[in-house]
Amino acid sequence: MFRTALRNVLAHKARLLMTVLAVMLGVAFVAGTLVFTSTLSSAFQKSSEKGFAQVDVALRPDESAHEGPGDAARLSQELLEKAERLPGTGGALGEVSGFAALADKDGKLVGQGWSTRGGNYYAGADGGGTDFRYPVKEGRAPEREGEVMLDARTAERTGYKVGDTVRTSVNGPVRQEKVVGVFTTDDGGVAAGGTLVLFDTRTAQSLFTKPGEYEQIILTADKGTSQAQLLKQVRENLPKEVEATTGKTLADEQARMIDSEMSNMRTFLLVFAGISLFVGVFIIANTFTMLVAQRTKELALMRAVGASRRQVTRSVLLEAGVVGTIAAVVGLVTGIGIAAGLRSLMNAFDLTVPDGPLLVGANAVVASLVVGIGVTMLAAWLPARRAAKIPPVAAMSSVHATPTTRSLVVRNTIGSVLFAAGAALVLLATGMDFKAAQLPMALGAGVLVIGVFVLTPLLSRPLIAAAGPLLRAFGVSGRLARQNAVRNPRRTAATASALMIGLTLITGLTVVAGSSQQAINKMAADAIKADYTVSMANYSDLSPEVEKTLRDLPEVTAISPLRRADAEVDGTTHWISGVSGKDINKLVDVAFDSGSFADLAAGGVIVDRTTAEANDWKRGSTLTFTFEDGKSEKLTVGGVFKGNEMVQGLLMDTAVLDPHTQRPADSQLMVKLKDGVSEAGKSEVAKALGDNPAILIQSKQDVSDSIAKDFTIMLNMLYALLAMAVVVAVLGVVNTLAMSVFERSQEIGMLRAIGLDRTGIKRMVRLESIVIAVFGGVMGVALGLFFGWAVGELLGGAFGTYSLVIPWDRIALFLALSALVGVLAALCPA
């Protein structure tokens, strides 16, 4: 039986080619994902290990010991000097860091916003020490304000040299700095395409913490002292509010964090690989079903000469196993190539990956073989069972008995139950809380898709019949195409369902993305009356100096920050938004249940409806605020309003909040200009801020365009990932048609004999392919619209402005592409 299985694979290699390709693509997706994420994870982990190689013990403020509003206490210079004097300490460094944008020679922001950082070069208390983290490659270390060092990678790609003047920005105002040195580093952020700008310690403290304070102190052990021994010394001699950790622990924490991030990416990509493989299952099942049908006499004769049912089943499964093994091996090799290509692509887009070898782990090899062989044999199991049931007497007939009407009735009954159960679960989830609804929604969607697949033979007849009037225009070829499409409803169902799954996901994503974009645009339009919002490019905090600069412009008629701080209110910590009491009413639009913005200017507070109801506050309530400076103040609730994504929680005038805040910082500014939105007005604002590339100045239209761009990028990425499933579906249509043509050789020959020419035969096959493809497209679009609506019902609870948007133009495009898929898939078979 094993020899027979191998012979059959070789005999039908052309017909199995599409099956091998479909499985190979899915396996390549899986293998490529595993190799790529393993390579990235290993490279970043090794880079971070290098960064911690000279760190024996790190001291940080203990966040768990911090209570009340404000940031946790920083580490002092006195603590650093005390740690440096401990027995076993070889050296000590104080560290501060934060966001620091760097402009290139063209005035554009260098690197990605999240990885453009600044820090300090620690030269010791006497200024004569050496910072072992950042060895100087050229020039010298910064010694005073106005001097910086750049990392070697950034200096190389920007062309900056020692002696050049660069423009930086930490929290808004532009700074002119002189490059006095270039340093090398194993910092993971720099290795990944970020930038690192080093200031002298005093300047860095004024920018990121406070004079004399550090975020972290790094200790190195003296010769003969282990990390554990130094850690014990530190814990015995330093304050309890200081947390001490070994360098190895920090490296392990970083490794776990990197692995977690890669795990999320890995899971995301494997979901799409799973979709491709799921679509491939239909092709495999179709292929082996048709092969079994074509070999009815052969299999019956094997039964007649003594082969048992189990042996016949095993023979078909062995064929599938051989096909799966070939596909898995080729897919693994292709996946390794994809991973290498993705890594090169990242480097080409300036997303540098730390140096390291391409890591082909055992997990990638095992997963490729298990997935390739397992999926193929699982999909071939039902055809194998059908092959085993062929009775020996069938050898006397040319064709085995077709499936009975009773089997279709059973199938339709099961499909109806699954369809109803899946739809009920989805509808139930739409009325639940977003978090609680995720599992029933996903489960219901899966059951519903399976139910539709099971019912597809039943649905194919009326839907394909609806295309009859259009097909009649093509004469005999059109009528034959319609009859061929419904002749074997199971085969048509499996072929169309492969395409249906891809279009279901594409349509659903398009509906949700379009509706969400409109909801966010409407929310911004309804909430903001300001002409422009000003924020940092990476949405970090703005300095209050930016507000002072813009307030002095003659074009500005109203301006208000959104200044974030926290405070204890009647014993519970709440976020506070500081705003300009006299201007805020000109800049935002909210509906008040009671009171107005005028109460802010009078020194009171206003609160959104949700927060007020949760705390049983109302207009006139007196609240006791304990601020981060430890001082308390009683304030009266002057109004209750309906909050939105822009303005919510507790609001008070900055004149009340600022005296209690050590480092005031704004999340953004809202600005209204004399002449409204105009390029000239925007240019004046930008010019006043030094044409700073780290600052975003956006009108409502700019915000809308930015959101649209983000959604378009996201959708295009998802379309690209789902394209694999569509490609596999096209292979399925090609395979089914090709085998169907081979199966109907005598019939097609008879049609030629009675007068249907070659053009008519080609037209018949093409029309059959188009009908099947459009049938799958219609079902996919219908399901996608339903799922898009269901997800929208969930999102409607989070976004009050959410409403369903059906992109009819894209849906028409999807259906047109389905027809094009049918035309392309029929080229070779026709």
Side-chain angles (χ1 to χ4, degrees):
M1 298 305 291
F2 179 71
R3 288 197 301 272
T4 303
L6 288 177
R7 187 205 66 188
N8 284 327
V9 170
L10 293 173
H12 302 113
K13 54 183 176 290
R15 289 177 235 173
L16 291 168
L17 178 62
M18 294 298 177
T19 302
V20 171
L21 281 174
V23 179
M24 182 270 288
L25 288 173
V27 170
F29 207 150
V30 172
T33 296
L34 294 174
V35 171
F36 178 63
T37 52
S38 295
T39 299
L40 283 188
S41 182
S42 175
F44 281 119
Q45 284 181 22
K46 286 178 179 175
S47 178
S48 69
E49 284 171 8
K50 287 180 183 177
F52 289 113
Q54 292 175 301
V55 178
D56 289 315
V57 172
L59 308 182
R60 297 179 291 190
D62 188 355
E63 297 285 348
S64 62
H66 173 65
E67 295 180 1
D71 296 327
R74 305 288 186 182
L75 307 177
S76 65
Q77 180 70 35
E78 182 185 354
L79 179 68
L80 188 152
E81 293 169 2
K82 182 179 179 182
E84 194 171 18
R85 291 193 297 268
L86 287 175
T89 301
L93 298 174
E95 186 178 67
V96 294
S97 63
F99 172 75
L102 174 71
D104 64 16
K105 292 184 176 181
D106 296 324
K108 296 178 181 177
L109 187 66
V110 183
Q112 308 302 312
W114 58 269
S115 60
T116 49
R117 296 187 305 110
N120 68 305
Y121 184 94
Y122 185 78
D126 57 358
T130 301
D131 191 328
F132 53 74
R133 295 167 303 172
Y134 308 121
V136 179
K137 182 180 179 183
E138 296 175 32
R140 60 173 175 81
E143 296 171 353
R144 60 187 65 85
E145 188 173 5
E147 296 181 345
V148 295
M149 276 206 304
L150 302 180
D151 68 88
R153 286 177 186 249
T154 298
E156 183 180 351
R157 64 177 162 159
T158 58
Y160 284 131
K161 295 181 172 60
V162 174
D164 289 345
T165 299
V166 297
R167 295 166 68 234
T168 66
S169 179
V170 171
N171 54 5
V174 173
R175 299 172 58 88
Q176 300 285 340
E177 315 280 3
K178 182 180 179 181
V179 179
V180 295
V182 175
F183 64 94
T184 58
T185 178
D186 291 315
D187 184 277
V190 173
T195 64
L196 183 57
V197 180
L198 295 184
F199 304 86
D200 67 284
T201 295
R202 183 175 296 178
T203 301
Q205 287 174 333
S206 68
L207 293 172
F208 304 122
T209 56
K210 286 197 301 185
E213 290 189 352
Y214 299 96
E215 294 174 323
Q216 181 172 262
I217 293 173
I218 294 171
L219 304 180
T220 55
D222 208 352
K223 288 182 179 180
T225 304
S226 67
Q227 283 190 1
Q229 289 171 330
L230 181 58
L231 180 66
K232 185 180 177 183
Q233 285 278 5
V234 168
R235 285 178 173 169
E236 288 175 353
N237 291 279
L238 294 181
K240 290 183 179 179
E241 60 269 17
V242 175
E243 179 186 30
T245 313
T246 63
K248 184 179 183 308
T249 302
L250 289 175
D252 291 343
E253 284 178 5
Q254 184 108 343
R256 281 194 294 271
M257 184 181 71
I258 292 168
D259 191 59
S260 174
E261 290 173 357
M262 290 299 148
S263 177
N264 293 334
M265 181 195 291
R266 191 181 302 123
T267 302
F268 177 74
L269 292 174
L270 287 177
V271 166
F272 289 91
I275 292 168
S276 299
L277 287 165
F278 184 60
V279 171
V281 166
F282 295 105
I283 300 177
I284 302 162
N286 245 4
T287 302
F288 279 94
T289 297
M290 295 174 78
L291 285 175
V292 166
Q294 291 167 15
R295 286 159 44 200
T296 299
K297 288 181 68 175
E298 175 191 329
L299 294 171
L301 282 168
M302 287 172 65
R303 292 289 314 283
V305 297
S308 65
R309 285 189 174 188
R310 183 175 295 176
Q311 285 178 309
V312 172
T313 302
R314 197 179 299 148
S315 173
V316 177
L317 287 176
L318 277 170
E319 290 178 46
V322 172
V323 170
T325 302
I326 294 169
V329 172
V330 176
L332 174 61
V333 174
T334 306
I336 294 170
I338 290 172
L342 284 173
R343 182 170 174 169
S344 299
L345 193 65
M346 287 185 72
N347 288 330
F349 279 98
D350 213 18
L351 299 171
T352 312
V353 180
D355 296 332
L358 198 66
L359 194 64
V360 184
N363 63 335
V365 177
V366 172
S368 299
L369 293 174
V370 169
V371 168
I373 298 169
V375 166
T376 311
M377 293 184 72
L378 181 66
W381 180 70
L382 274 177
R385 283 195 64 208
R386 286 198 205 104
K389 290 180 180 178
I390 297 175
V393 73
M396 302 173 190
S397 173
S398 59
V399 180
H400 182 45
T402 56
T404 63
T405 304
R406 179 178 174 276
S407 67
L408 279 175
V409 171
V410 171
R411 176 174 178 145
N412 293 339
T413 303
I414 294 171
S416 299
V417 171
L418 290 172
F419 179 89
L425 268 174
V426 171
L427 292 173
L428 177 67
T430 58
M432 299 169 66
D433 175 71
F434 184 81
K435 192 171 183 180
Q438 291 179 23
L439 180 60
M441 177 72 79
L443 182 62
V447 172
L448 180 56
V449 168
I450 294 169
V452 170
F453 165 65
V454 176
L455 282 175
T456 305
L458 177 66
L459 298 171
S460 63
R461 290 186 180 276
L463 288 176
I464 291 175
L470 294 173
L471 293 173
R472 275 199 291 272
F474 295 94
V476 174
S477 297
R479 288 197 296 275
L480 288 172
R482 187 183 67 80
Q483 291 170 6
N484 289 335
V486 296
R487 179 191 294 183
N488 191 329
R490 283 183 172 85
R491 185 183 302 168
T492 298
T495 308
S497 294
L499 194 59
M500 175 193 78
I501 291 166
L503 277 178
T504 295
L505 293 167
I506 289 172
T507 304
L509 287 169
T510 304
V511 170
V512 171
S515 301
S516 298
Q517 180 185 328
Q518 178 179 276
I520 295 171
N521 289 346
K522 191 171 186 299
M523 183 171 60
D526 291 349
I528 303 176
K529 292 196 286 186
D531 294 323
Y532 291 100
T533 59
V534 180
S535 62
M536 294 297 289
N538 71 333
Y539 301 104
S540 60
D541 291 336
L542 274 170
S543 166
E545 288 181 33
V546 177
E547 181 199 356
K548 292 175 185 174
T549 301
L550 295 183
R551 192 176 286 280
D552 293 335
L553 285 180
E555 292 86 354
V556 174
T557 58
I559 185 170
S560 174
L562 277 178
R563 191 160 294 164
R564 302 295 187 190
D566 60 341
E568 280 191 3
V569 184
D570 293 341
T572 304
T573 301
H574 287 267
W575 276 103
I576 313 293
S577 292
V579 297
S580 169
K582 68 182 182 69
D583 284 348
I584 190 65
N585 64 314
K586 304 171 189 173
L587 301 166
V588 298
D589 189 8
V590 296
F592 276 86
D593 296 340
S594 61
S596 69
F597 281 125
D599 294 282
L600 282 178
V605 295
I606 60 173
V607 60
D608 75 274
R609 183 190 302 163
T610 304
T611 306
E613 290 175 353
N615 294 276
D616 197 26
W617 297 334
K618 54 184 179 295
R619 189 180 187 195
S621 298
T622 300
L623 311 179
T624 301
F625 287 78
T626 303
F627 296 96
E628 64 178 71
D629 62 355
K631 295 179 180 178
S632 295
E633 195 168 334
K634 290 184 181 294
L635 299 172
T636 303
V637 175
V640 177
F641 64 94
K642 182 183 177 183
N644 54 51
E645 291 298 310
M646 177 68 68
V647 184
Q648 57 184 304
L650 285 155
L651 272 65
M652 68 173 58
D653 197 302
T654 51
V656 178
L657 179 64
D658 286 356
H660 302 289
T661 308
Q662 294 178 357
R663 293 177 65 91
D666 304 330
S667 59
Q668 67 176 11
L669 287 173
M670 294 173 287
V671 182
K672 200 163 188 65
L673 302 181
K674 189 191 307 178
D675 298 325
V677 177
S678 67
E679 281 301 316
K682 186 176 181 179
S683 296
E684 284 298 318
V685 172
K687 187 177 178 181
L689 297 177
D691 291 318
N692 190 340
I695 287 183
L696 283 177
I697 304 167
Q698 294 180 302
S699 65
K700 282 188 279 192
Q701 186 59 49
D702 293 332
V703 172
S704 178
D705 292 343
S706 174
I707 292 167
K709 183 180 177 182
D710 291 342
F711 272 108
T712 300
I713 292 171
M714 179 194 72
L715 266 181
N716 288 340
M717 285 176 58
L718 294 173
Y719 285 163
L721 292 168
L722 286 171
M724 186 69 75
V726 176
V727 169
V728 173
V730 172
L731 293 177
V733 179
V734 174
N735 201 37
T736 301
L737 283 173
M739 295 185 73
S740 177
V741 167
F742 178 82
E743 192 177 71
R744 293 173 359 222
S745 297
Q746 287 186 324
E747 176 189 317
I748 292 170
M750 184 63 70
L751 289 171
R752 291 289 313 282
I754 61 174
L756 191 62
D757 59 11
R758 286 188 175 187
T759 302
I761 294 292
K762 288 178 182 178
R763 186 182 298 124
M764 177 189 73
V765 176
R766 289 194 194 106
L767 289 173
E768 181 183 347
S769 175
I770 291 170
V771 166
I772 292 173
V774 172
F775 169 52
V778 168
M779 291 198 303
V781 165
L783 271 177
L785 287 173
F786 176 70
F787 290 141
W789 166 82
V791 173
E793 288 296 297
L794 282 183
L795 293 176
F799 293 102
T801 54
Y802 188 95
S803 60
L804 184 67
V805 175
I806 299 177
W808 294 111
D809 54 342
R810 292 211 176 192
I811 287 173
L813 177 64
F814 296 156
L815 292 174
L817 288 174
S818 298
L820 180 62
V821 163
V823 172
L824 295 175
L827 285 176
C828 183

